[in-house]
Amino acid sequence: MKIIFINRFFYPDHSATSQLLTDLAFYLAERGLLVEVVTSRQIYDEAKSALASAEFSDSVHIRRVWSTSFGRSSLVGRSLDYLTFYAATFIRLLKDTKPGDVLVAETDPPLISVVVAIVAAMRSAKLVNWVQDLFPEVATALGFKGMNGGFAAFLKRLRNWSLRRAAMNVVIGEGMRQRLINETGAVDKIRVIHNWSDSEQIRPVLRHENPLGKEWLVEDKFVVGYSGNMGRAHEFRVIMDAAVSLCENKGIVFLFIGAGAQLDWIKQEVSRMGAANVILKPYQSRKSLSYSLGVADIHLVSLNPALEGLIVPSKFYGIIAAGRATIFVGSKNGEVAGILENEKCGFTVGCDESEELVARVLELYRDRGYCNDLGVKARELFLKKYSSQYALEQWGSLLDNISASTI
């Protein structure tokens, strides 16, 4: 028996789903399980990259299938990337899957669970869906062309069929769990295992011990950070408005680290609004996350309210691992908002509340002791509920039970 993971990106890629899958696959291999990953030859932000078609890494057998590599610049090109990955993955899985194997499908590309469910049925394998976001609901909420009406309903039926076929569906938040229960009625087949960060890899770093503060010329500033994907799911208008409002305060800077679909818009807004207090940096390596996250005094997490229950921002776990307070920009009834309220390690502001965001930033800027206390609470919360050790043990137990079952 082996466990086969399926996701479009994997080690050495640095995207969020890839990093999580890398942690889990290597953890299971260390426990002595036979682990294979079927993935693409691409890097998330380097579509033309061509990684080796097959290799072993830390006892994990990596199978990288061919697909087109148009990247994310056009809908047609991305659709072709998806379609060719579906086809190549289907063929690869048919060759590799044996009765009793466990197939774990992440959600990149969308609806890969349908392809994997078909193979699982054909090969008498067990299916586990690892649901990082809900498609087509996300596309509909973001207003993508053609993702309304009958076509979206058809895709949802396909998705729900693959969820009902599974031995278990792992979701990453309570809101997502409730949505899928309402969609499928499969109460006993939907379980929450939150995403995570590594407690050793990301640790609190004192400002005066952080080399990036000096390198980025912010060691004497109060830094408001945003780290990770700057995608269509995230709200930036209120953040940019707050940055402009605080532009005259020379003690405060806004630091954006990462990339994504909205990065060009952010650059244009910085130039148009003359926001000299905004600093842009590229993605940092996993090895330097303690420093890149730790260079900020507080971090921003944002999510379009229409996407609550469809997505949980994974950057939140790295922030609390680094022992930093969070200001969440989004729905005050959302998943992250609820955690911040219950655990007292940050605040939530609405997507139209730039003045409230400015007030919160100034409050923490003026009371560094309070800001630090929020960060201490964040780290304590992380160690209690969201560390990699805690989540990986949950995953290990789940897969052990599924492997041993007759489902």
Side-chain angles (χ1 to χ4, degrees):
M1 189 278 299
K2 65 177 175 288
I3 298 172
I4 306 177
F5 290 97
I6 303 94
N7 194 57
R8 200 156 58 104
F9 301 106
F10 185 66
Y11 177 85
D13 177 75
H14 61 243
S15 61
T17 59
S18 172
Q19 291 186 27
L20 292 162
L21 177 52
T22 298
D23 288 346
L24 180 54
F26 289 170
Y27 166 78
L28 295 171
E30 287 175 3
R31 294 179 67 212
L33 298 177
L34 186 60
V35 178
E36 179 177 317
V37 177
V38 176
T39 186
S40 76
R41 300 176 188 176
Q42 299 175 21
I43 298 292
Y44 178 77
D45 52 0
E46 298 176 24
K48 299 301 181 182
S49 59
L51 299 172
S53 60
E55 67 174 296
F56 278 91
S57 181
D58 288 352
S59 300
V60 173
H61 191 181
I62 307 171
R63 301 271 200 177
R64 297 191 181 97
V65 300
W66 177 88
S67 64
T68 57
S69 54
F70 293 101
R72 295 172 288 143
S73 59
S74 75
L75 181 60
V76 172
R78 187 186 299 192
S79 298
L80 286 172
D81 288 355
Y82 289 171
L83 290 171
T84 51
F85 183 77
Y86 292 147
T89 297
F90 179 76
I91 294 169
R92 181 77 264 166
L93 289 177
L94 281 180
K95 293 179 179 178
D96 292 355
T97 306
K98 302 294 187 295
D101 286 349
V102 179
L103 306 182
V104 182
E106 251 186 303
T107 44
D108 188 358
L111 301 180
I112 189 63
S113 62
V114 176
V115 174
V116 180
I118 294 170
V119 175
M122 294 175 67
R123 291 290 187 256
S124 300
K126 300 167 186 177
L127 171 64
V128 175
N129 290 309
W130 188 0
V131 185
Q132 295 287 342
D133 55 65
L134 297 187
F135 182 89
E137 290 92 331
V138 168
T140 300
L142 291 176
F144 285 169
K145 186 176 180 180
M147 285 299 171
N148 287 299
F151 183 58
F154 169 72
L155 295 180
K156 191 185 296 185
R157 285 195 295 272
L158 277 180
R159 191 271 317 279
N160 291 344
W161 171 80
S162 70
L163 299 180
R164 294 189 187 98
R165 291 283 307 178
M168 185 59 66
N169 300 289
V170 175
V171 298
I172 59 174
E174 294 295 339
M176 189 179 293
R177 176 178 181 272
Q178 191 56 55
R179 278 183 178 260
L180 286 187
I181 288 174
N182 295 341
E183 284 287 336
T184 67
V187 178
D188 296 333
K189 288 188 174 185
I190 303 173
R191 175 177 172 181
V192 176
I193 300 180
H194 293 281
N195 285 344
W196 61 83
S197 287
D198 189 307
S199 60
E200 294 300 319
Q201 187 176 71
I202 303 179
R203 302 178 65 87
V205 176
L206 296 175
R207 289 292 303 276
H208 68 273
E209 296 177 353
N210 193 332
L212 288 183
K214 184 175 183 179
E215 181 181 335
W216 292 349
L217 304 178
V218 296
E219 58 184 336
D220 60 343
K221 306 290 187 180
F222 184 82
V223 181
V224 182
Y226 182 97
S227 179
N229 183 34
M230 303 171 199
R232 295 179 179 88
H234 307 293
E235 286 289 327
F236 289 104
R237 177 75 274 165
V238 65
I239 296 173
M240 294 306 303
D241 287 345
V244 171
S245 295
L246 290 166
C247 201
E248 296 303 314
N249 189 322
K250 303 304 181 183
I252 301 174
V253 296
F254 284 70
L255 172 66
F256 291 82
I257 304 172
Q262 294 204 63
L263 177 58
D264 287 342
W265 178 85
I266 292 170
K267 289 179 177 178
Q268 291 169 8
E269 288 298 290
V270 169
S271 176
R272 183 181 69 83
M273 302 168 76
N277 59 338
V278 174
I279 301 169
L280 300 173
K281 296 292 181 182
Y283 275 114
Q284 303 298 299
S285 69
R286 292 193 80 180
K287 293 180 180 179
S288 66
L289 280 176
S290 287
Y291 298 122
S292 63
L293 292 171
V295 79
D297 295 278
I298 58 175
H299 277 270
L300 302 172
V301 175
S302 68
L303 184 66
N304 183 331
L307 298 174
E308 278 293 345
L310 307 178
I311 292 174
V312 179
S314 59
K315 59 177 65 66
F316 174 65
Y317 306 104
I319 293 166
I320 59 175
R324 294 296 186 264
T326 298
I327 298 179
F328 176 66
V329 178
S331 171
K332 295 183 179 180
N333 298 315
E335 189 102 19
V336 174
I339 295 171
L340 296 178
E341 173 64 24
N342 293 334
E343 303 295 340
K344 309 302 180 187
C345 58
F347 307 101
T348 297
V349 300
C351 293
D352 58 351
E353 296 180 341
S354 62
E355 291 183 2
E356 176 67 13
L357 178 55
V358 169
R360 287 300 189 184
V361 170
L362 287 174
E363 177 184 5
L364 298 176
Y365 167 67
R366 291 164 180 160
D367 192 344
R368 306 297 177 89
Y370 180 40
C371 184
N372 291 336
D373 288 344
L374 293 176
V376 170
K377 289 181 181 179
R379 177 69 180 185
E380 291 172 349
L381 168 65
F382 168 74
L383 293 174
K384 183 171 65 175
K385 293 184 178 180
Y386 302 112
S387 71
S388 58
Q389 180 180 358
Y390 181 73
L392 294 175
E393 287 175 355
Q394 288 182 294
W395 264 105
S397 176
L398 172 67
L399 292 174
D400 286 344
N401 291 336
I402 290 174
S403 298
S405 74
T406 58
I407 296 175

